[in-house]
Amino acid sequence: MTVDHPADLTIVTLVPLLLDTNGDAANARVLAQRARWAGLSARIVPVHSVADLPAVVDLVVIGSGTDTSLTAARDALSALADALRGWLGGGVPILAVGTGWELLSAGLDLADGSSLAGLGLVPGRAGLLPDRVADDLVVDAAGQRLSGFENHRRGYSGATASLGVVSYGTGNGDGTEGVRHGSFIGTHLHGPVLARNPHLADLLLDLACTARGLTPAGSTQTASVDGIAKAARNQVAVRLGLTAE
């Protein structure tokens, strides 16, 4: 176990050497920077094995990987299954993107017709779509827009609740996108998703701060960045024939 240093929030990124194909491990950097703008101290701890785990974990980020590294990534996450189970049961906010999410499900189908067992920690499984999807993805998440890009061969079924309804794109393949399971969010959105949708980052931060009894402060820097992100989402929406926010 690593030696800890005091910080308001500790953000763990799991197996980033294997699960960062689309830069999704950078979601941890978004969380840390927004925490700092809110007057809190934050640190990011890359975790590749149990030995890397800090004593306190406030937020968890899992990125996406390639199919060629699926077995290695699954085995690395399996070694951390007890920690993941504890975080899920304890309400620690977890964001998992792409294959990082799929590997926590019951399993995922592969292009060669075989399947790979997942960790079975979140409801559902990832099944093959008719074709690979690589396009913009826009989602209505309880009245708030999420925007990014998707690049995946598998959809998702069996989630107890989705992240939102697809306005443009494919997502899970059934008109919904992602999964919500307690404090866990799984999504196909890349970008990284939290840089393009900082309101989702703030949702995760608020959950973590509430658990720790912390009160984030307002920030002009945050407001400025939020405006830039909103303008970028609107530019995509207009290009796709959707209304602006």
Side-chain angles (χ1 to χ4, degrees):
M1 186 165 290
T2 58
V3 177
D4 292 311
H5 303 283
D8 290 322
L9 293 175
T10 298
I11 303 161
V12 159
T13 177
L14 293 186
V15 203
L17 294 180
L18 292 172
L19 297 174
D20 190 25
T21 300
N22 295 285
D24 298 303
N27 283 309
R29 295 172 58 190
V30 177
L31 290 168
Q33 187 58 62
R34 291 185 74 82
R36 292 165 188 149
W37 285 337
L40 304 172
S41 62
R43 62 171 179 152
I44 299 171
V45 180
V47 170
H48 302 283
S49 68
V50 172
D52 300 326
L53 286 170
V56 176
V57 174
D58 297 297
L59 295 120
V60 178
V61 168
I62 311 172
S64 187
T66 64
D67 275 17
T68 55
S69 65
L70 276 176
T71 300
R74 192 273 311 273
D75 291 347
L77 291 174
S78 293
L80 298 164
D82 287 344
L84 280 160
R85 194 173 291 107
W87 296 331
L88 288 165
V92 174
I94 301 175
L95 173 70
V97 181
T99 56
W101 157 34
E102 294 174 343
L103 288 168
L104 301 188
S105 75
L108 49 160
D109 297 332
L110 306 179
D112 64 4
S114 64
S115 62
L116 181 70
L119 274 63
L121 297 176
V122 297
R125 66 173 289 116
L128 286 177
L129 295 168
D131 298 290
R132 171 171 286 278
V133 176
D135 202 351
D136 291 293
L137 177 59
V138 182
V139 180
D140 179 359
Q144 288 194 307
R145 175 169 287 166
L146 300 173
S147 177
F149 70 92
E150 57 182 337
N151 181 11
H152 56 105
R153 185 67 172 83
R154 288 175 288 271
Y156 200 85
S157 61
T160 52
S162 68
L163 179 58
V165 177
V166 173
S167 302
Y168 182 94
T170 299
N172 293 342
D174 61 358
T176 67
E177 159 54 15
V179 60
R180 288 288 304 268
H181 180 63
S183 59
F184 176 86
I185 293 176
T187 184
H188 296 104
L189 283 161
H190 303 291
V193 59
L194 298 187
R196 297 184 64 159
N197 306 277
H199 47 293
L200 183 58
D202 287 344
L203 170 65
L204 296 167
L205 283 170
D206 287 346
L207 289 171
C209 287
T210 297
R212 289 285 300 276
L214 300 170
T215 303
S219 166
T220 56
Q221 183 66 58
T222 298
S224 174
V225 168
D226 290 357
I228 295 170
K230 182 177 180 179
R233 291 194 303 274
N234 281 336
Q235 185 178 46
V236 171
V238 170
R239 174 169 56 81
L240 298 176
L242 304 173
T243 59
E245 294 180 55

